[in-house]
């Protein structure tokens, strides 16, 4: 029983057992007992090189992953999940690389779990981690200190050369200096690196799409506009018994509302397909031609916010445009159907043609332009046309200017509406009657006049635009006037596609995707910081380990280091907790320190009372050579 220890009676036996010492004749054992600073430094460097390389590899992998997913532009939902998985694994691996050592040997289980064997004794050790190795080279003090319970608490976490003041931080005196020059816990630097890893998550974001620029597509049922007629309040304006003027008025109104919306330039169809979603219609930079691109919508997209921009394109153009001089001396009035002489007959001519056209006084004014539809039937029923089944010839009368002093001029152009390109079914095609309505829309009112009182009514319709209007023809030549007519027609078709009811067909289904945005300047800075902290940790560990012996961070090594203290308990104390053992030990012990004690087998490393501290050793270093 140990004298002065009340807990000694807890020991199972007071009989001394045989003492066994290390066999010093074994060459491997002799070599492992030799302390050589240079060899120790290289050993520590080799142990940490793999982890340092792994840090660099994981940092590079994170940067590559961010670049790859950023270059994918738009990702589906499963792509977002795969990105989260990849980045999470990389970040976890990077964080754990600062905490967990490599090649950790897990103690084998005993009993039935291990097949009836307890395993080799080497299985109960662990190779040193960066944190453990770094802590192994830091000292609480260069002088002796009193043993307290806090110093012995969590004994299994002690490393060779360490007496912990607390579980969170230590203040050290390093390499024999009289004042503390390093207030450091290696875990704090590791936390700094882990904070940098966490901050990486703030340098990128996976944003959900909001428009057609961030969609993915698949085959499915999509919404497309009905093109079979112009609709008015959800009803087809050409339905049976519907007044003929309704559809003409709707066609004109649709052309009016499109003016002022964004139009984009193009020279080839590929420019139209590549244009952004907000382009309402397109104008050709080389020819007087205009185009509209049809879209397909997800049935769940009630706001029509993210359409699939198809390759189905319809175009309008003007041809055979002429400018005529007016024969002012031949202007005369005729009776209108109400018996009043309020309609002017306006003769016009050029080198090869003479003609005239009636315009009611109510549809003409000084310094203005009146567009005229002059046919024998309404556009939707006009099966015979001189320029084709999807073409209408229109007139534009530019009146005399009292302010501009311009002469009166008459223009005539043929406005053509083409077929829908790349249409694969009838739902995607625009019928001829709607093409003619769009072509004539700039002049339509829905009301006709028949100033000649003939048995066959002339569907003469007029739209007047005052001076200053975009559609007024001040300073325009014949080709440009025709361009304005065809632009009005494409605007009518664009509004028709946007305002008509929709139907479902099988097509290209758009779905909102995700897009990765990365702040690369912060990513590079943090990645460099993470790698730099790891390099600094390794360099610091190698530097401060030069004058000391860095032991193995294992349970057996810790037990060996505490042997001089724990043996004070004698054979008892097996059921005591840490506090009770510390209280028992300190009753009969003085100051303790980590150092060297002479023995009959050579220098002995020990944590005890009779050791010579490193500070008091020659050169402030542990001696080179063999140890007991």
């Amino acid at each position: 029983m140990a004298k002065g220890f009340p807990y000694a009676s807890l020991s199972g036996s007071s009989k001394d057992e045989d003492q066994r010492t290390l066999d010093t004749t074994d060459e491997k054992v002799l070599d492992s007992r030799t302390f050589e600073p240079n060899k120790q430094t290289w050993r520590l460097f080799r142990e940490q090189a793999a982890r340092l390389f792994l840090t660099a590899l994981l940092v590079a992998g994170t940067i590559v992953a961010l670049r790859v997913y950023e270059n994918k532009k738009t990702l589906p939902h499963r792509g977002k999940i795969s990105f989260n998985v990849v980045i999470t694994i990389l970040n976890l691996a990077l964080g754990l690389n600062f905490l967990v050592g490599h090649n950790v040997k897990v103690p084998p289980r005993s009993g039935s779990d291990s097949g009836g064997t307890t395993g080799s004794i080497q299985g109960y050790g662990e190779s040193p981690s960066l944190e453990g190795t770094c802590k192994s080279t830091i000292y609480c003090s260069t002088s002796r200190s009193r043993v307290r319970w806090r110093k012995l608490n969590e004994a299994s976490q002690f490393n060779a050369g360490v007496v912990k003041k607390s579980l969170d931080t230590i203040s050290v005196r390093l390499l024999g200096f009289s004042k503390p020059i390093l207030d450091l816990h290696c875990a704090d630097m590791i936390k700094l690196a882990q904070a940098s890893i966490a901050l990486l998550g703030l340098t990128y974001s996976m944003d959900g799409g909001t428009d057609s620029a961030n969609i993915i597509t698949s085959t499915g049922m999509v919404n497309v506009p009905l093109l079979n007629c112009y609709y008015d309040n959800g009803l087809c304006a050409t339905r049976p018994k519907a007044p003929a003027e309704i559809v003409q008025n709707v066609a004109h109104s649709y052309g009016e509302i499109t003016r002022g919306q964004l139009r984009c330039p193009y020279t080839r169809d590929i420019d139209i397909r590549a244009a952004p979603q907000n382009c309402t219609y397109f104008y050709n930079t080389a020819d007087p031609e205009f185009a509209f691109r049809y879209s397909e919508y997800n049935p769940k997209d009630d706001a029509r916010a993210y359409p699939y921009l198809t390759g189905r394109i319809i175009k309008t153009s003007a041809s055979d445009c002429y400018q005529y001089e007016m024969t002012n001396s031949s202007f005369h009035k005729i009776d209108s159907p109400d018996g009043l002489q309020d309609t002017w007959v306006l003769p016009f001519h050029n080198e090869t043609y003479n003609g005239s056209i009636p315009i009611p006084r109510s549809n003409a004014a000084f310094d203005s332009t009146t567009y005229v539809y002059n046919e024998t039937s309404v556009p939707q029923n006009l099966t015979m046309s001189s320029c084709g089944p999807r073409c209408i010839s229109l007139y534009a009368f530019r009146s005399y200017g009292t302010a501009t002093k311009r002469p009166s001029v008459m223009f005539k152009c043929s406005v053509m509406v083409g077929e829908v390109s790349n249409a694969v079914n009838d739902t995607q095609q625009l019928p001829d009657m709607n093409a003619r309505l769009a072509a004539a829309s700039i002049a339509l009112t829905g009301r006709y006049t028949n100033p000649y009182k003939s048995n066959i009514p002339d569907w003469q319709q007029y739209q007047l635009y005052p001076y200053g209007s975009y559609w007024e023809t001040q300073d325009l030549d014949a080709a440009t006037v025709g361009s304005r007519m065809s632009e009005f027609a494409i605007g009518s078709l664009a509004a028709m596609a946007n305002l008509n009811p929709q139907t479902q067909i099988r097509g290209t289904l758009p779905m909102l995707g995700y897009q990765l945005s990365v702040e690369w300047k912060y990513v590079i800075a943090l990645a460099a910081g993470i790698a730099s902290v790891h390099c600094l940790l390794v360099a610091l560990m190698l530097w401060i380990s030069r004058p000391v012996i860095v032991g193995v961070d294992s349970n057996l090594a810790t037990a060996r280091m505490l042997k001089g203290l724990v043996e004070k308990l004698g054979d008892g104390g097996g059921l005591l907790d840490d506090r009770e053992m510390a209280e028992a030990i300190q009753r009969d012990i003085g100051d303790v320190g980590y150092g060297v004690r002479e023995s009959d087998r050579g220098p002995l490393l020990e944590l005890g009372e009779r050791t010579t501290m490193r500070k008091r050793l020659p050169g402030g270093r542990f001696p080179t050579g063999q140890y007991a």
Side-chain angles (χ1 to χ4, degrees), residues 164-311:
K164 299 183 98 177
K165 273 191 174 180
S166 69
L167 300 179
D168 298 322
T169 183
I170 58 177
S171 179
V172 303
R173 290 183 180 179
L174 181 66
L175 300 181
F177 287 95
S178 59
K179 294 182 179 180
I181 64 169
L182 183 62
D183 190 0
L184 172 69
H185 195 297
C186 286
D188 293 334
M189 296 186 68
I190 295 173
K191 290 174 184 176
L192 176 63
Q194 289 181 311
S196 299
I197 296 171
L199 287 175
L200 276 175
L202 302 178
T203 63
Y204 58 84
S205 61
M206 184 67 75
D207 303 318
T210 58
D211 56 24
S212 61
N214 302 112
I215 63 170
I216 56 173
T217 59
S218 64
T219 302
M221 299 303 294
V222 297
N223 284 354
V224 296
L226 287 170
L227 303 180
N228 59 325
C229 75
Y230 280 90
Y231 280 77
D232 175 50
N233 293 324
L235 298 175
C236 181
T238 56
R239 63 191 183 276
K241 298 183 179 180
E245 62 267 19
I246 292 180
V247 66
Q248 298 170 81
N249 184 271
V250 171
H252 175 80
S253 300
Y254 280 5
E256 288 276 13
I257 64 177
T258 304
R259 174 62 196 154
Q261 299 187 33
L262 179 64
R263 65 175 194 169
C264 300
Y266 78 98
T267 54
R268 299 174 300 168
D269 286 359
I270 192 173
D271 300 327
I272 298 175
R273 296 190 183 101
Q277 172 186 343
N278 60 342
C279 292
T280 304
Y281 64 100
F282 303 86
Y283 68 94
N284 194 309
T285 57
D287 300 312
E289 180 183 74
F290 295 84
F292 174 74
R293 171 186 58 196
Y294 289 98
S295 300
E296 295 178 349
Y297 296 89
N298 190 313
K300 297 180 180 179
D301 181 17
D302 296 330
R304 302 188 188 181
Y306 52 98
Y308 168 67
L309 307 176
T310 73

Side-chain angles (χ1 to χ4, degrees), residues 371-496:
Y371 289 89
V372 183
Y373 172 77
N374 185 35
E375 294 289 353
T376 58
S377 179
V378 292
Q380 62 267 34
N381 298 332
L382 188 66
T383 57
M384 296 297 294
S385 176
S386 59
C387 59
R390 300 171 72 88
C391 178
I392 294 291
S393 293
L394 297 176
Y395 294 89
F397 170 61
R398 182 167 67 198
S399 66
Y400 171 78
T402 58
T404 60
K405 305 302 181 183
R406 67 187 185 185
S408 298
V409 176
M410 184 70 73
F411 300 96
K412 181 182 179 181
C413 283
S414 297
V415 181
M416 170 71 72
V417 176
E419 300 280 354
V420 179
S421 63
N422 302 311
V424 296
N425 55 55
D426 292 340
T427 306
Q428 299 170 345
Q429 277 289 2
L430 181 76
D432 290 350
M433 67 174 184
N434 292 336
R436 292 191 294 269
L437 280 166
S441 59
I442 194 170
L444 299 181
T445 61
R447 298 288 182 177
Y448 76 95
T449 62
N450 185 12
Y452 292 105
K453 301 180 182 179
S454 62
N455 293 329
I456 300 175
D458 291 328
W459 278 83
Q460 293 167 330
Q461 302 183 59
Y462 310 91
Q463 284 286 358
L464 182 146
Y465 292 92
Y467 182 79
S469 168
Y470 178 77
W471 307 110
E472 214 277 320
T473 60
Q474 174 69 23
D475 297 328
L476 302 184
D477 59 15
T480 308
V481 171
S483 176
R484 294 292 169 87
M485 294 176 178
S486 60
E487 182 176 2
F488 197 99
I490 204 67
S492 180
L493 294 174
M496 178 190 189

